[in-house]
Amino acid sequence: MADRRPFIAGNWKMHKTVPESVETARKLVSLVGGVSDADIMIAPTHVALAPVAEALAGSNVALGAQNLFWEREGAYTGEVSAPMLASAGCRYAIIGHSERRQYFGETDEKVNRRIRAALDGGLTPVFCVGESESEREAEKTFSVLDKQVSDGLKGFVADELSSLVLAYEPVWAIGTGKTASSAQAQEVHQFLRGLMAKKLGKDLAQSLRILYGGSVKPDNVAELMAMPDLDGALVGGASLKPEVFSEIVKFKRKQSS
Ligand code: 13P
């Protein structure tokens, strides 16, 4: 069995001003300082990245961006590149989040370019996939995920993806309080790991961390993380309060020790 290190990530989405972000990051650092057996990441808004990086310096909490553009630099008004994010202190970049797919015209092809750019720029992609409620009801979950993964990772070989983190976020469970049951999540995570094995080999699939996202809270994280193919959580709403997010982070630590 692969020994996959737990990964607990907070996606702050479009929340918090710069001072609020810095204060939240500081509080979080003081609450999770003792956690040594999980990777922890927070993704504030772009404008808060550099000051939050300062607040996280020397801590066990890593910084991530919520998106990036695939070119390195140039006349692309309003965009931010992977090297820029890395220079602000980011180690990770969330890519292909369903909110970007839903509201900002994100396609699998663009996701593919962003993943390539993240890796070229020295960032670890946290690649998000997930089906909508109607797709699940129409029993298209597996075919939708197959397409998102296949097209998102088109042209990559296993060696390039050793750092990749995959996140399964069923759209119907995001911000709704409607979590996937642990059995539903496990079924999909197992499918995704099998798909990765088929496409990129068993070794990569076994070491790949697959996070679950969608209404993760301190009171449901236990049951979810007990599943064999769930290696962590991508947390939205519950990551905004450091006291609540740290409970999620610490639960994982208790479980794995
Ligand atoms: P919630 O935890 O608010 O459901 O959001 C999940 C998510 O989209 C994380 O990226």
Side-chain angles (χ1 to χ4, degrees):
M1 269 304 285
D3 191 13
R4 295 186 291 267
R5 189 173 158 82
F7 189 109
I8 308 292
N11 173 11
W12 290 0
K13 307 190 178 182
M14 199 174 75
H15 291 288
K16 297 184 188 293
T17 62
V18 173
E20 286 165 356
S21 300
V22 170
E23 197 196 329
T24 306
R26 283 210 183 103
K27 267 197 201 144
L28 181 66
V29 164
S30 71
L31 290 167
V32 300
V35 177
S36 60
D37 57 1
D39 289 337
I40 308 166
M41 182 269 268
I42 52 173
T45 62
H46 280 358
V47 289
L49 287 170
V52 167
E54 262 178 60
L56 300 181
S59 80
N60 58 340
V61 181
L63 190 65
Q66 297 175 19
N67 185 33
L68 56 78
F69 187 53
W70 51 79
E71 297 293 342
R72 293 179 72 84
E73 61 176 6
Y76 303 104
T77 302
E79 295 296 327
V80 178
S81 73
M84 290 167 188
L85 295 169
S87 78
C90 288
R91 272 186 51 200
Y92 297 91
I94 297 171
I95 294 175
H97 192 280
S98 64
E99 286 150 17
R100 297 217 59 85
R101 295 177 190 260
Q102 198 176 340
Y103 304 126
F104 302 103
E106 187 73 322
T107 61
D108 294 326
E109 197 245 324
K110 291 180 188 172
V111 166
N112 180 266
R113 298 178 81 167
R114 290 188 218 280
I115 292 173
R116 172 76 62 197
L119 291 167
D120 288 349
L123 300 173
T124 293
V126 178
F127 168 31
C128 302
V129 295
E131 83 286 3
S132 67
E133 186 152 38
S134 59
E135 287 164 342
R136 174 163 282 263
E137 279 166 3
E139 296 186 2
K140 287 191 187 144
T141 299
F142 292 152
S143 62
V144 165
L145 295 172
D146 191 330
K147 183 174 181 331
Q148 288 176 350
V149 169
S150 303
D151 292 355
L153 298 180
K154 203 174 199 165
F156 284 100
V157 296
D159 278 355
E160 295 170 307
L161 296 174
S162 55
S163 71
L164 181 80
V165 176
L166 193 58
Y168 169 56
E169 299 205 312
V171 178
W172 47 272
I174 295 177
T176 58
K178 229 202 276 181
T179 326
S181 70
S182 53
Q184 277 174 325
Q186 168 59 22
E187 184 189 29
V188 171
H189 281 232
Q190 197 174 3
F191 167 79
L192 289 170
R193 202 176 301 285
L195 184 64
M196 291 295 286
K198 220 165 51 186
K199 294 195 171 303
L200 291 148
K202 247 185 158 171
D203 287 352
L204 181 78
Q206 271 307 305
S207 62
L208 176 74
R209 290 184 291 184
I210 309 179
L211 317 184
Y212 168 78
S215 299
V216 175
K217 305 272 182 302
D219 62 3
N220 61 23
V221 64
E223 204 190 326
L224 288 161
M225 293 306 130
M227 295 291 114
D229 286 296
L230 271 72
D231 308 311
L234 182 52
V235 186
S239 72
L240 296 172
K241 291 204 173 94
E243 299 80 9
V244 178
F245 187 56
S246 69
E247 269 188 66
I248 294 173
V249 170
K250 285 180 181 171
F251 172 77
K252 187 59 199 157
R253 183 174 61 82
K254 276 184 214 144
Q255 278 302 98
S256 63
S257 60

